[in-house]
């Protein structure tokens, strides 16, 4: 302990060299911290710095970190190869099914649309998995060396925070998404009924004075477009973020 004017404090020395002095003025009053608590906290942090400095200069720990990095890199390369090959074959199979559906039906069938969405989603999932593997590799490599452990912790905290934010957003948007799905599904049913009606008129199975088989195809496309427009307009307010300034333009 030392006395500086009217204040008492604690000096921290490195050998015979004075590092700094803690006094009552350094205490966090709002946290109801005492000088003894501050001294204990400072000693613990200085001990962490001392241990980290010795570990950074320990060739054995450095060698272990290099070995872990090499093993992690090999595992990463193997996982990337497995994911790329597996998803590549799955995407090729899905594309063949999509092309088969498109060849069978002369018009755009909803199954073809779903197949196209599935192919695009699978490609996005593949890149997401590859990015996740790269992120995990980077965090593991950084945690293998004492000097970069804080960076690894920062990466982990950032990822966890983003996952919590994404999870909250997904849960909050579920009612709107469910409403959009219901509206679009109902619109699809209406469009199928319109197509069935005009096909019957075009083939002569249904005869109405206001509809002629020669103009049925064009009329069907117009009515279908109007039906989808009404459906999209009804579903738009329930889209996640539809009330944001970005959607308002």
């Amino acid at each position: 302990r030392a006395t500086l004017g009217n204040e008492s404090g604690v000096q921290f020395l490195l050998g015979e060299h004075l590092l700094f002095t803690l006094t009552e003025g350094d205490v966090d009053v709002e946290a109801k911290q005492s000088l003894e608590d501050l001294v204990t906290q400072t000693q613990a942090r200085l001990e962490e710095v001392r241990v980290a400095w010795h570990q950074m200069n320990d060739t054995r720990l450095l060698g272990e970190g290099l070995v872990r990095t090499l093993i992690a890199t090999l595992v990463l390369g193997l996982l990337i190869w497995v994911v790329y090959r597996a998803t590549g074959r799955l995407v090729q199979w899905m594309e063949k099914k999509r092309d088969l559906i498109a060849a069978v039906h002369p018009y755009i069938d909803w199954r073809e649309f779903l197949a196209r969405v599935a192919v695009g989603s699978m490609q996005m999932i593949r890149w997401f998995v590859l990015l996740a593997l790269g992120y995990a590799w980077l965090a593991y490599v950084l945690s293998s060396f004492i000097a970069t452990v804080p960076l690894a912790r920062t990466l982990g905290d950032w990822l966890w925070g983003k996952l919590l934010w994404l999870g909250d957003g997904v849960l909050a948007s579920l009612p709107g998404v469910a409403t959009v799905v219901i509206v679009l599904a109902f619109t699809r049913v209406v469009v199928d009924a319109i197509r069935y009606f005009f096909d019957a008129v075009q083939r002569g199975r249904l005869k109405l004075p206001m509809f002629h088989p020669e103009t049925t195809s064009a009329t069907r496309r117009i009515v279908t477009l109007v039906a989808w427009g009404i459906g999209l307009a009804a579903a738009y307010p329930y889209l996640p973020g539809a009330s944001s300034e970005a959607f308002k333009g």
Side-chain angles (χ1 to χ4, degrees):
R1 284 184 173 271
T3 302
L4 300 175
N6 296 328
E7 286 188 317
S8 62
V10 178
Q11 292 182 334
F12 285 82
L13 302 174
L14 180 60
E16 298 180 355
H17 301 283
L18 176 64
L19 296 178
F20 55 88
T21 302
L22 294 178
T23 64
E24 293 289 345
D26 300 316
V27 174
D28 188 354
V29 180
E30 296 181 357
K32 298 181 180 180
Q33 187 183 48
S34 65
L35 180 61
E36 288 73 15
D37 295 334
L38 179 60
V39 170
T40 301
Q41 183 183 28
T42 304
Q43 287 176 334
R45 292 180 177 177
L46 288 175
E47 179 62 18
E48 292 178 358
V49 172
R50 186 191 67 82
V51 172
W53 186 86
H54 283 287
Q55 290 178 341
M56 284 190 297
N57 291 274
D58 190 334
T59 55
R60 181 182 62 82
L61 293 178
L62 180 61
E64 291 178 356
L66 292 174
V67 171
R68 286 196 293 268
T69 300
L70 177 61
I71 295 175
T73 303
L74 294 175
V75 172
L76 174 65
L78 178 61
L79 290 177
I80 289 176
W81 180 82
V82 170
V83 171
Y84 198 84
R85 288 294 300 273
T87 56
R89 291 184 178 181
L90 182 58
V91 167
Q92 289 179 356
W93 178 81
M94 295 171 67
E95 288 177 342
K96 290 180 180 179
K97 292 294 183 180
R98 177 201 64 192
D99 296 339
L100 181 61
I101 294 174
V104 171
H105 301 280
Y107 50 85
I108 299 179
D109 189 76
W110 65 271
R111 288 171 294 182
E112 180 188 352
F113 174 76
L114 291 180
R116 292 182 181 277
V117 172
V119 171
S121 300
M122 181 56 62
Q123 292 174 342
M124 291 181 59
I125 290 174
R126 175 172 62 185
W127 285 110
F128 177 79
V129 172
L130 294 177
L131 289 174
L133 290 175
Y135 191 94
W137 173 87
L138 180 60
Y140 180 80
V141 169
L142 291 176
S143 65
S144 300
F145 300 95
I146 299 300
T148 55
V149 165
L151 292 176
R153 293 175 180 173
T154 302
L155 283 177
D157 294 340
W158 179 85
L159 179 61
W160 179 246
K162 292 300 181 182
L163 290 176
L164 289 178
W165 171 78
L166 182 62
D168 292 339
V170 170
L171 291 177
S173 64
L174 282 179
V177 172
T179 303
V180 170
V181 171
I182 292 173
V183 171
L184 294 182
F186 178 76
T187 304
R188 178 64 194 183
V189 172
V190 173
V191 169
D192 285 341
I194 292 172
R195 179 169 56 85
Y196 177 79
F197 170 78
F198 282 102
D199 283 346
V201 173
Q202 188 175 16
R203 296 176 182 178
R205 296 171 57 190
L206 180 64
K207 295 183 180 181
L208 296 174
M210 296 180 59
F211 296 93
H212 303 281
E214 295 80 8
T215 60
T216 299
S217 179
T219 306
R220 179 181 61 185
R221 286 194 289 267
I222 294 174
V223 175
T224 300
L225 183 62
V226 171
W228 276 116
I230 295 174
L232 292 175
Y236 176 80
Y238 300 97
L239 289 174
S243 59
S244 64
E245 294 298 329
F247 274 78
K248 293 179 181 179

